Structure formats: structure tokens, C-alpha cells
Amino acid sequence: MNLDYNNTASKTFPTLSFQERAQAMIKAIFVDMDDTLIVNAVLYDHARMQLCGYLRNFGLRNDEIMAHNTKVNADLFPAHGYSRERFPLSFEMTLKHFIPNADDDMIKHVRAMAETTFETVAPLKPGTIEAIDLLTSRFPVYMVTQG
């Protein structure tokens, strides 16, 4: 079905300008936070690269480390969802997969790598402040995130 929203709005609000019609029709704006307003995927990538760097000391290749960690992370998702625990646990499980006799210090070390993702302030994407200022001057704006 092809709807002409501008034409529909013109008939509903015939004396209003396009901007006024848009404001009359839009009740709220919902904006995703992760990698829309802030740059956070890079924080996860950086932590994974740290894990790879650490495990390379044990003769492992980045591709095998990343493949296993990606699988573990996906396997943990049904039980842990977007919880803060899933990512560090995936690092621990990846370590134990490749180094079954990993000691407590090694486990703490790789978990700390993953924890930096949550302890580091993600930078704003360019134009975020201006866009939010413009939107909030006209509409209720809600920021949402899954994590």
C-alpha cells in the first residue's frame, strides 16, 4: 500500500504549514542510543582485540579467538541477554576453552578487559547535541537502548 503522508496530512490539517502538520502528527521521538547517539561498538571491538593480543601469547590466532568468542557470546545471549555480565563471561569462557588450566589471575585479567567496555564513557557521534537540542525544542524525545 502506497500512502501519501503529506497529502493525508494536508487534508487533515489544511491550514497548517508542512512543519506545523508534522508537529501536529508526531507525538514523540524515540532515538536509539548505541551507535546512533554514541559510538560504543568500538569499545567492544577494542576489548576483543585486547583479548586476542593476550591469547596470541599462547600461540593462538586472532581468527580462531574471534570465532570462538563470537559463538560463546551468542550462546550466552538467551540466558544473559544484554546484561553487563554476558561480555566478561564470554571472555572467561573463551580463555578456558583455549587454556583449560587458566588460573584465577588469568581469568580476572581477561574479565577486566571486557569490563573496560562498561567503564569507559562512549563518545558522542558528531552532531548529536545539535540534533537532540533541535528535536527536544519541538517534541518529547526519549532515548532507548537494549543494553
Side-chain angles (χ1 to χ4, degrees):
M1 175 186 275
N2 187 6
L3 296 176
D4 181 353
Y5 292 103
N6 193 33
N7 192 31
T8 303
S10 296
K11 289 176 185 172
T12 306
F13 307 103
T15 61
L16 302 178
S17 70
F18 176 77
Q19 184 177 6
E20 291 168 325
R21 286 193 310 267
Q23 283 185 276
M25 293 175 68
I26 298 172
K27 302 298 180 208
I29 305 284
F30 292 83
V31 183
D32 180 44
M33 173 108 50
D34 298 330
D35 289 316
T36 302
L37 300 178
I38 61 171
V39 182
N40 68 330
V42 69
L43 301 176
Y44 288 90
D45 293 342
H46 179 71
R48 285 186 188 102
M49 286 297 99
Q50 285 185 309
L51 177 66
C52 288
Y54 180 72
L55 291 177
R56 274 197 314 265
N57 293 320
F58 299 92
L60 299 164
R61 296 184 329 269
N62 284 4
D63 62 327
E64 64 186 325
I65 298 163
M66 291 296 285
H68 186 75
N69 183 254
T70 299
K71 181 184 179 324
V72 167
N73 210 16
D75 291 346
L76 290 171
F77 191 82
H80 296 275
Y82 288 104
S83 73
R84 184 178 174 145
E85 179 59 24
R86 188 186 85 242
F87 197 54
L89 182 56
S90 77
F91 276 38
E92 178 180 341
M93 291 174 72
T94 299
L95 171 69
K96 288 179 178 179
H97 172 79
F98 291 113
I99 306 171
N101 60 344
D103 63 28
D104 288 343
D105 287 338
M106 294 168 77
I107 293 167
K108 286 178 189 169
H109 185 68
V110 298
R111 287 184 69 91
M113 291 175 191
E115 284 291 337
T116 62
T117 301
F118 306 103
E119 296 164 357
T120 304
V121 176
L124 292 174
K125 283 197 165 187
T128 295
I129 298 294
E130 296 82 1
I132 295 299
D133 284 347
L134 177 66
L135 290 171
T136 56
S137 71
R138 295 185 171 107
F139 308 102
V141 175
Y142 302 91
M143 290 176 237
V144 295
T145 186
Q146 289 185 337

